[in-house]
Amino acid sequence: MSDASQTSPLASIRARIAAAEVAAGRAPGSVTLVAVSKTQPWDHIAPVLAADQTVFGENRVQEAMERWAPHRTGLELRLIGPLQTNKAREAVGFFDVLETLDREKLARVLADEIQRQGRAIRLYIQVNIGQEPQKAGIAPAEADAFIAACRGPYGLSVEGLMCIPPAEDDPASHFAALRAIAQRNGVEKLSMGMSDDFETAIAQGATSVRVGSAIFGVRAPQ
Ligand SMILES: *Cc1c(COP(=O)(O)O)cnc(C)c1O
């Protein structure tokens, strides 16, 4: 590794994740870094790919497919933005992980598509942990029933839960609340923590963190 890559933003985030794992008594390498590349120009992404980052997050189906189709092999691509049912076919065909399952209609459409395409896509349920009216996600009070419905009638296997806490709150209690929902439902993975709070999320049990601007720089508005 060159000195330049050791001091890159990516290297620094990797080091902070490793330190947070140790501080939380978590196993080294137990937290997956999802590099959130949405809206970033390719010249910001290329050096991150070259530094062996293999997991990327995008928030729009079309943009992700255009950008990543030529580089698809060997990568894990996660959809972390809202999914419209009319994009479910493309999303199931393209992504490895969908993190924003948040309503019955989408569960039904995804179940049909997964069966039709025979593709074992991994699913996270998004929980609107701060109960914000403008945010996507199932309400915390409805999460247990929704998880059960996904597993039962829709036959989906739920790998994890995902949340985006309210920007103005201390995130720790929201991360703990998401962990509690996962624990009582036997859900294994937790996608929580972004550029400003991923260390707090790791302390609260995150198994993946979604970091964008701290790796790639400030985004142009979408
Ligand atoms: C954009 C985005 C991120 C990354 O946010 P940063 O603050 O740039 O790290 C993480 N999760 C979701 C759902 C996002 O939309």
Side-chain angles (χ1 to χ4, degrees):
M1 215 192 265
S2 71
D3 286 358
S5 71
Q6 277 170 15
T7 56
S8 71
L10 174 65
S12 134
I13 296 298
R14 285 173 168 164
R16 286 170 59 189
I17 289 172
E21 287 170 342
V22 171
R26 311 266 312 272
S30 57
V31 177
T32 299
L33 171 60
V34 180
V36 177
S37 49
K38 65 184 186 197
T39 81
Q40 296 287 349
W42 188 255
D43 64 333
H44 290 193
I45 297 172
V48 171
L49 255 186
D52 296 326
Q53 176 66 29
T54 58
V55 185
F56 291 87
E58 289 281 348
N59 71 339
R60 292 188 177 182
V61 175
Q62 210 60 46
E63 182 192 357
M65 290 176 69
E66 282 162 20
R67 164 177 291 168
W68 289 107
H71 310 275
R72 189 73 188 78
T73 309
L75 298 183
E76 177 181 308
L77 299 181
R78 299 188 175 209
L79 182 68
I80 61 170
L83 178 57
Q84 305 304 315
T85 49
N86 64 3
K87 298 271 172 58
R89 180 160 299 183
E90 283 172 306
V92 168
F94 189 72
F95 287 94
D96 301 289
V97 182
L98 304 179
E99 295 206 3
T100 52
L101 170 54
D102 64 352
R103 58 201 191 276
E104 292 246 359
K105 187 182 178 199
L106 184 57
R108 176 158 32 85
V109 172
L110 287 177
D112 288 347
E113 272 311 315
I114 287 167
Q115 187 151 44
R116 202 183 67 87
Q117 300 188 33
R119 207 159 177 272
I121 196 160
R122 293 150 54 197
L123 297 173
Y124 284 58
I125 289 173
Q126 181 174 0
V127 179
N128 188 354
I129 202 71
Q131 306 186 65
E132 296 171 280
Q134 80 283 9
K135 245 178 215 162
I138 193 89
E142 291 162 24
D144 295 358
F146 185 61
I147 293 166
C150 287
R151 288 170 164 167
Y154 300 114
L156 297 169
S157 111
V158 178
E159 176 172 303
L161 303 182
M162 178 272 226
C163 77
I164 310 168
E168 63 280 5
D169 287 6
D170 174 359
S173 63
H174 293 292
F175 293 149
L178 191 71
R179 187 185 60 209
I181 296 171
Q183 274 174 348
R184 69 174 179 254
N185 287 283
V187 174
E188 220 178 302
K189 301 280 176 76
L190 290 169
S191 169
M192 54 190 202
M194 318 200 322
S195 289
D196 290 335
D197 57 17
F198 68 88
E199 286 143 321
T200 304
I202 291 169
Q204 295 297 333
T207 57
S208 59
V209 293
R210 309 177 308 268
V211 180
S213 44
I215 294 174
F216 296 106
V218 176
R219 279 180 295 277
Q222 218 162 21

